[in-house]
Amino acid sequence: MRIFFAQGDLFIMKYVISDIHGCYREYLALLDKIHFSADDWLYVLGDAADRGPEPINVFQDLLSRKNITYILGNHDYMFLYFLGRKGLDLADKYLEDCDPEDITDFRMWLEDGGITTARQFMKLPQKERIAVNEFLEKAKSYEVIKENEKTYILVHAGISNFSEDKPLENYDFIDFIDNRTDYEKRYYSDPNIFVITGHTPTVYIRKDHLPKIYCGNGHIAIDCGCVFGGRLAAYAIETGDVTYITSP
């Protein structure tokens, strides 16, 4: 763990990662590589669920830690909608008793990577299901970090219907989790404000199409497509350093 001192105060390291998508081994390897400890803080920009091999193991590790801020992603939201206790709660219902439109949407989610999450979740004891639900129900829609005279706005996908004069608390949560960011556009005119996002793999943003973090126009995009054979990345707020684990 790296520790920074400023004006006599102790500062912990703050890391941002995103779109783990069930890549449990890569996630643990990344935490080990950055020497993540209980004295540091981890911000996860959503979508630990779906697609990869071990999404429920990822969730169970995250909820076991006290130094995590989890921001809801669109795949997490779909999981909560279909299997969450405050959603349709299909884990405890017969599908033939449900609205056909809900069943159609449920099948679309399963085909978009939700099948692994659903299968693993349904195998959990009831107590562990509740714990996963509670973890996601408490997830934030955004987070703001101020560090070294800079402001970092953390969201999963972007900021839909963006207006620079509109306070973040006046947006709906769906504005942060669904529509992709326009990385060609600077959102905030202040050069010391940065929007950190996941959701869109950086191979589709970078001109070189490499699975590396993208920085430009006030954006820091950190979804390097681990589940698609790319990388899982950790961005250090204090230093701007980036650490990668490459998917096998």
Side-chain angles (χ1 to χ4, degrees):
M1 180 190 70
R2 287 167 291 176
I3 300 178
F4 289 78
F5 291 88
Q7 298 179 350
D9 295 324
L10 176 66
F11 287 83
I12 62 175
M13 289 295 295
K14 296 183 284 293
Y15 297 96
V16 189
I17 67 176
S18 187
D19 293 80
I20 303 168
H21 276 307
C23 295
Y24 182 58
R25 293 183 180 182
E26 292 87 344
Y27 158 72
L28 292 182
L30 183 60
L31 294 189
D32 183 65
K33 192 170 183 178
I34 62 176
H35 306 292
F36 186 71
S37 77
D39 296 317
D40 297 317
W41 201 271
L42 184 67
Y43 297 85
V44 183
L45 304 187
D47 278 5
D50 299 352
R51 293 181 172 159
E54 300 178 80
I56 295 302
N57 281 344
V58 174
F59 279 128
Q60 290 185 316
D61 182 86
L62 289 169
L63 65 86
S64 73
R65 300 175 186 268
K66 305 299 183 183
N67 51 341
I68 298 282
T69 295
Y70 196 83
I71 294 171
L72 196 71
N74 59 304
H75 281 264
D76 307 317
Y77 171 70
M78 295 299 284
F79 165 75
L80 275 178
Y81 180 77
F82 291 118
L83 299 182
R85 58 181 180 170
K86 295 183 179 180
L88 298 181
D89 199 13
L90 297 183
D92 291 322
K93 293 180 180 178
Y94 293 106
L95 295 186
E96 57 265 29
D97 297 331
C98 299
D99 188 302
E101 290 188 6
D102 286 330
I103 298 308
T104 298
D105 292 341
F106 180 54
R107 287 172 175 163
M108 290 178 62
W109 170 63
L110 295 179
E111 292 173 359
D112 193 28
I115 185 66
T116 303
T117 305
R119 283 174 173 168
Q120 293 176 2
F121 179 75
M122 290 179 181
K123 290 180 181 179
L124 291 177
Q126 187 68 20
K127 183 177 180 180
E128 294 180 30
R129 286 191 200 177
I130 292 173
V132 173
N133 268 282
E134 289 180 341
F135 175 77
L136 286 176
E137 288 166 4
K138 295 176 182 177
K140 296 188 173 185
S141 55
Y142 69 90
E143 182 65 85
V144 178
I145 302 174
K146 295 184 182 294
E147 184 71 33
N148 297 327
E149 299 182 351
K150 296 179 179 178
T151 298
Y152 300 89
I153 298 171
L154 280 56
V155 296
H156 173 66
I159 309 175
S160 297
N161 305 307
F162 177 78
S163 171
E164 188 166 3
D165 297 327
K166 184 176 181 179
L168 291 172
E169 60 269 22
N170 289 351
Y171 289 90
D172 189 82
F173 83 95
I174 203 72
D175 290 325
F176 300 113
I177 71 170
D178 193 22
N179 291 334
R180 300 188 189 279
T181 293
D182 181 356
Y183 292 99
E184 297 295 324
K185 172 185 175 182
R186 176 177 286 277
Y187 282 23
Y188 290 93
S189 56
D190 186 339
N192 288 316
I193 299 179
F194 300 87
V195 181
I196 306 183
T197 53
H199 190 60
T200 302
T202 56
V203 294
Y204 300 116
I205 305 170
R206 295 174 58 97
K207 292 182 179 179
D208 58 13
H209 304 296
L210 292 176
K212 299 171 64 176
I213 282 179
Y214 167 82
C215 297
N217 296 322
H219 299 287
I220 303 172
I222 67 170
D223 175 9
C224 298
C226 181
V227 75
F228 301 114
R231 296 170 169 179
L232 193 63
Y235 181 85
I237 291 293
E238 287 81 4
T239 64
D241 290 342
V242 181
T243 305
Y244 295 105
I245 290 291
T246 300
S247 177

